[in-house]
Amino acid sequence: MSQIIYLNGRFLPIEQAYVPVLDRGFIFGDGVYEVIPVYSKRAFRLREHLARLEHSLAGLRMENPRSPDEWEKLVEKLIRTNESEDQSIYLQVTRGPAPRDHAFPKHAVPTVFMMSNPLVTPSPAQVAQGVSAVSATDIRWDRCDIKAIALLPNVLLRQMAVDAGAAETILFRDGILTEGSASNIFAVENGVILAPPKDRHMLPGITYDVVLELAKTNGIPFEIGYFAEARIRNADELWITSSTREILAIVTLDSKPVGDGKPGPVFHRMYRLYQDYKNEVMRHG
Ligand code: PDD
């Protein structure tokens, strides 16, 4: 069966879905997106994802083309239309097609697109052994809190990791940790989780929030702040978090071991807490 997607009010096979070439998403990268994990056919933290979408749209000075209720119904229908129990929903809104001009068009109808793919989470080997990362200067703009589809810097930064055989590129702006090319980054120092603040230099991750909530409810100390590169390089543990990668330990950074070069004890604890939370909330209601 061909993949069924949602485009501008219709559910249709992906081969039949087209967007005009003058769509501002295509011409300017003028749009925003969300990636929502689905477990046992239930969207994880959907309200939070929709709230972040609202924030991103406001950043582009765009009206939300659907109400929260409409979004929820559309996402549910898309999930039902696709076979996998665990899915990854990709949702995108652009300012729509209009004659090419940088300034906002007076009368454009937003393009609304959603697709679902099977959710691929890290393999048991990746979870057990951890992954490697490289580092780079954060070359992105000043509104990384907007989940914009214009991802050229992120694409280039992620490719640096791939070229080095690594899983992620960790970014430093003016010598301070921001996040990864497509993930948030946590460090652990003497048993304390270190997390960058949700400012304009990072995407406020939904997984990031879950991790800090779990730390709070389970009495694991954490500190939110600006952390210098040297401190991150000397941390006992480093983690990646995102909707599709969940939580992964970074065991080497720029080919040097992080801590003792193995996923650390705080990672193991948080990974277990995350999986238990997910199973409780999603698999059993
Ligand atoms: N990216 N920071 C960046 C730059 C990201 O692209 C992502 C996620 C995150 C983590 O956010 P969350 O926990 O809400 O997934 C942080 C998605 C998965 C993507 O672009 O495919």
Side-chain angles (χ1 to χ4, degrees):
M1 200 180 80
S2 116
Q3 187 183 1
I4 302 295
I5 62 97
Y6 172 86
L7 181 64
N8 297 331
R10 293 170 62 208
F11 285 86
L12 70 169
I14 193 158
E15 299 79 17
Q16 292 170 27
Y18 289 96
V19 176
V21 287
L22 285 181
D23 192 283
R24 289 176 63 95
F26 183 54
I27 298 286
F28 293 116
D30 188 0
V32 297
Y33 77 107
E34 277 297 321
V35 176
I36 309 163
V38 171
Y39 300 106
S40 303
K41 298 232 163 189
R42 296 152 85 157
F44 186 63
R45 297 224 159 180
L46 182 55
R47 290 221 177 97
E48 289 81 352
H49 279 279
L50 293 176
R52 186 171 66 185
L53 175 68
E54 189 75 45
H55 170 83
S56 295
L57 286 166
L60 267 62
R61 295 165 56 188
M62 276 183 69
E63 295 271 330
N64 195 331
R66 305 283 183 275
S67 69
D69 229 39
E70 286 168 334
W71 279 122
E72 279 184 33
K73 290 203 173 84
L74 289 172
V75 168
E76 272 166 30
K77 185 161 178 198
L78 186 67
I79 293 171
R80 279 201 310 276
T81 312
N82 284 277
E83 272 168 25
S84 301
E85 285 289 300
D86 293 358
Q87 305 176 18
S88 167
I89 302 284
Y90 177 86
L91 178 170
Q92 173 173 315
V93 179
T94 77
R95 210 181 299 272
R100 186 180 180 277
D101 178 2
H102 287 63
F104 298 166
K106 287 217 166 59
H107 311 286
V109 179
T111 298
V112 180
F113 168 58
M114 282 202 292
M115 65 177 166
S116 169
N117 288 293
L119 178 67
V120 182
T121 50
S123 67
Q126 280 181 314
V127 173
Q129 288 154 25
V131 296
S132 49
V134 294
S135 68
T137 299
D138 196 338
I139 54 170
R140 300 172 304 160
W141 68 332
D142 243 320
R143 290 303 308 274
C144 299
D145 57 311
I146 297 172
K147 205 162 169 56
I149 59 168
L151 285 173
L152 183 55
N154 304 65
V155 166
L156 294 172
L157 290 163
R158 169 55 72 83
Q159 190 58 35
M160 286 174 64
V162 172
D163 291 345
E168 184 56 300
T169 305
I170 298 185
L171 308 177
F172 295 100
R173 188 186 286 256
D174 301 325
I176 303 291
L177 171 69
T178 54
E179 59 178 335
S181 70
S183 61
N184 291 116
I185 304 292
F186 290 87
V188 177
E189 199 181 60
N190 302 321
V192 179
I193 300 173
L194 310 181
K198 292 199 278 185
D199 62 10
R200 289 184 167 202
H201 291 159
M202 74 167 230
L203 184 81
I206 306 297
T207 323
Y208 168 102
D209 282 342
V210 175
V211 165
L212 290 185
E213 279 170 38
L214 289 171
K216 206 179 229 169
T217 46
N218 291 279
I220 307 173
F222 65 89
E223 188 187 327
I224 295 173
Y226 294 103
F227 301 106
E229 191 168 336
R231 211 165 149 190
I232 295 304
R233 290 190 187 280
N234 286 317
D236 304 318
E237 300 185 25
L238 291 177
W239 312 338
I240 293 170
T241 69
S242 87
S243 292
T244 45
R245 291 178 141 181
E246 301 186 332
I247 310 178
L248 267 182
I250 298 168
V251 291
T252 66
L253 176 59
D254 296 329
S255 307
K256 295 197 188 73
V258 175
D260 62 4
K262 292 198 288 265
V266 187
F267 166 77
H268 284 299
R269 181 146 182 234
M270 184 53 75
Y271 182 81
R272 201 57 266 149
L273 288 170
Y274 189 84
Q275 295 303 324
D276 289 349
Y277 173 80
K278 196 176 93 179
N279 289 336
E280 264 164 45
V281 175
M282 306 306 293
R283 311 262 188 223
H284 314 300

